[in-house]
Amino acid sequence: MLGGFGGKSSSGGGRKSLRVAVAGDKGTGKSSLISAVASETFPDNVPRVLPPTTLPADAYPDYIPITIIDTPSSIDNRIKLIEEFRKADVVILTYACDQPSTLDRLSSYWLPELRRLQIKAPVIVVGCKLDLRDERSPVRLEDIMAPIMKEYREIETCIECSALTLIQAPDVFYYALKAVLHPTFPLFDQEKQCLKPRLRRAVQRIFNFCDQDLDGALSDAELNDFQVNCFGAPLDPVELMGVKRVVQERQPDGVTDLGLTLPGFLFLFSLFIERGRPETAWAILRKFGYNDSLELNTELIPVPAKHSPDQSIELTNETMDFLRGFFQLYDLDNDGALRPDELDDLFQTAPDSPWLEAPYKDAAEKTPDGKLTINGFLSQWALMTLLDPRKTLANLIYIGYGHDPASTFSVTRKRSVDRKKQRTERNVFQCFVFGPKKSGKSALLDSFTGRKFADGYKATVGERYAANVVDQPGGCKKTLILREIPEDRVKKFLANKESLAACDVAVVVYDSSDVYSWRKAREMLMEIARKGEESGYGTPCVLVAAKDDLDAYPMSVQESDRVCMELGIDIPVSVSMKDDERNSLFRKIVSTAENPHMSVPETESGRRSKNIRQVVNSSLLFVSVGTALGFAGLAAYRAYSARKNA
């Protein structure tokens, strides 16, 4: 174990059992292999399909019982076969060493079939009947399997055995166990012969964690702390010297006068895998909280719970200060923005950069040359926290955030309470952007993140987000998140009773030069108002007359003012995405969100219902007061009678 480096391996992240499905062509020796390993003798008579067979927990060092499922080979039992594939933790495919055609069938049928069924379990390829192979035609297993394994990366291991002589037969299920508990596939790229990117990132995070003095190397004391943490026992000086000698011989820059460097630490993981000891690598990874996907286990990422759909989760000021400092640390040229390579370096200890895919890609402000500004950086974290706070906390931990998770987030007050108190304490506001096609919704989101106006129309596919920091009068900064709801999804979206619960402001956009666009927007505005009244999640609304640079349709101008007056909201905000006066619109949206009791549209029916409730409440109050006075009078009369009789 590298001169003593390592120790007892993990038992596989708490797994309690293993289920193995054994499949292959008829006559390849599946049932004989299972029976021989279970009884430790070659069976005289074997049924065509064995019942489930269990190997006890003490059969292998990991102390996990293995249930082996023998599957039928005939096509008549295909449904049963597929069912067992889906239940299996690992699949063993067999071929007969004395029948080359059964080997060909692996790549012509069995392996493609597993892919077609989208079976994600690792695969062990086993050559049975090794004792029957023609010795006059010697072949190397590596030569046979190399092209197959190159095409089918899900194959974890290949082995040949004999149930008759028991040669390597027990090893088959040991490798099956190992493929699940300590798989090499997530760790090592066999074709390139190097560690996979996710493992390199995880190892770098572990290295940074152990490098307590931040000198870029692990001293003898730091290495021993690491050894004790992972394996429960320190290395003696001779073992430690042996580890560093092995590293220095193979990786010259892996050891300096200060200790073991990151290249040397990475080399150790390569050596574990090269020497067939992936379990040592997995023991270290699991000690530092990683699961089989090389991500942190969810139990290590606690997030606060929302008790109502109209609450949200935000980052605390303490966390925001950490992020600002971290941004400055990686802004090497001090230009207030991160280049793509600087952003990659910032997330180099995370499994992946979290903002490369939708909805985060292109959701924040960037400079004309593609750099992420400080406002864009903080807005991305706010957006990720709104959508997936667990992902936020995980990435904070990946990049070195060491504070108590309990101080990372704050849960906001209910919006219904904010409306009653007529103020809000939120720092992040979510705005839903509705509107008909070609009304200017996408242009609004583009302008919010500083993108130039595009003349060509491109329909939005799916929901889209844009986030940025808005400077309010008085120096106050708020984060605004715009969520575009495509026209063809509005009906289904509003059908959910809680659809508006998460909305601080609903913005309805229409093309002021198109009467059809206005009519469609009016329908949406009325539906939003009705849904808010029905659900109890009434939402402040802002109506936006876009494309102000075009000639407005006169009727829509008059009608929009009238509709706004009837609903009790402000008249439409006229704006053109081609000019530079858009910031006033975003400040208007934030100001509306800061006053949750205002600009909430009321329909005629909603107003009547409100009046009825007020009358009923007044009547109940009158009855309550009258009843109270009656009881008070009765008590006074009884007291007077008692004094008179006395």
Side-chain angles (χ1 to χ4, degrees), residues 90-128:
V90 59
V91 174
I92 291 177
L93 296 180
T94 61
Y95 67 92
C97 293
D98 62 334
Q99 300 175 49
S101 61
T102 60
L103 176 61
D104 295 337
R105 282 267 296 169
L106 293 182
S107 53
S108 66
Y109 174 72
W110 288 105
L111 289 164
E113 179 69 0
L114 288 176
R115 280 194 177 176
R116 191 188 68 79
L117 296 171
Q118 299 183 345
I119 304 301
K120 302 301 182 184
V123 176
I124 307 294
V125 172
V126 178
C128 299

Side-chain angles (χ1 to χ4, degrees), residues 1 7-12 61-62 182 230-231 277-283:
M1 253 186 282
K8 186 176 179 180
S9 65
S10 160
S11 63
D62 289 286
H182 318 118
C230 293
F231 305 106
R277 295 303 303 260
E279 60 268 29
T280 304
W282 278 112

Side-chain angles (χ1 to χ4, degrees), residues 464-578:
R464 180 188 166 202
Y465 290 85
N468 209 340
V469 176
V470 177
D471 294 320
Q472 291 292 87
C476 179
K477 294 180 180 289
K478 299 290 183 180
T479 300
L480 178 62
I481 296 172
L482 304 181
R483 177 184 178 184
E484 181 181 352
I485 313 294
E487 179 186 359
D488 56 3
R489 296 193 177 193
V490 170
K491 186 175 181 180
K492 182 178 179 182
F493 177 80
L494 292 177
N496 182 350
K497 183 180 178 181
E498 297 178 351
S499 58
L500 295 175
C503 181
D504 292 291
V505 179
V507 168
V508 181
V509 183
Y510 67 95
D511 179 352
S512 60
S513 67
D514 183 352
V515 65
Y516 169 80
S517 182
W518 154 244
R519 289 172 181 169
K520 196 70 179 175
R522 181 183 59 192
E523 291 175 9
M524 291 183 186
L525 178 61
M526 297 301 293
E527 186 63 18
I528 292 167
R530 281 193 292 269
K531 289 296 181 182
E533 291 169 345
E534 292 171 5
S535 64
Y537 298 117
T539 302
C541 291
V542 173
L543 195 58
V544 175
K547 305 185 183 183
D548 191 43
D549 52 299
L550 303 178
D551 292 333
Y553 188 78
M555 189 65 70
S556 65
V557 174
Q558 298 172 10
E559 282 193 14
S560 60
D561 288 355
R562 179 180 56 79
V563 168
C564 288
M565 186 172 62
E566 290 174 354
L567 292 175
I569 64 175
D570 292 342
I571 63 173
V573 179
S574 297
V575 65
S576 170
M577 300 308 158
K578 292 183 178 181

Side-chain angles (χ1 to χ4, degrees), residues 190-237:
Q190 296 290 350
E191 185 176 358
K192 296 180 180 178
Q193 288 295 294
C194 65
L195 301 180
K196 288 191 171 181
R198 273 205 168 192
L199 176 61
R200 294 182 67 88
R201 288 168 170 259
V203 172
Q204 183 167 350
R205 173 180 167 259
I206 294 170
F207 179 89
N208 292 348
F209 184 87
C210 297
D211 183 18
Q212 295 294 312
D213 55 11
L214 303 177
D215 63 352
L218 300 184
S219 64
D220 289 357
E222 289 169 335
L223 270 175
N224 258 326
D225 288 344
F226 164 77
Q227 171 74 13
V228 170
N229 182 32
C230 293
F231 305 106
L235 296 171
D236 63 44

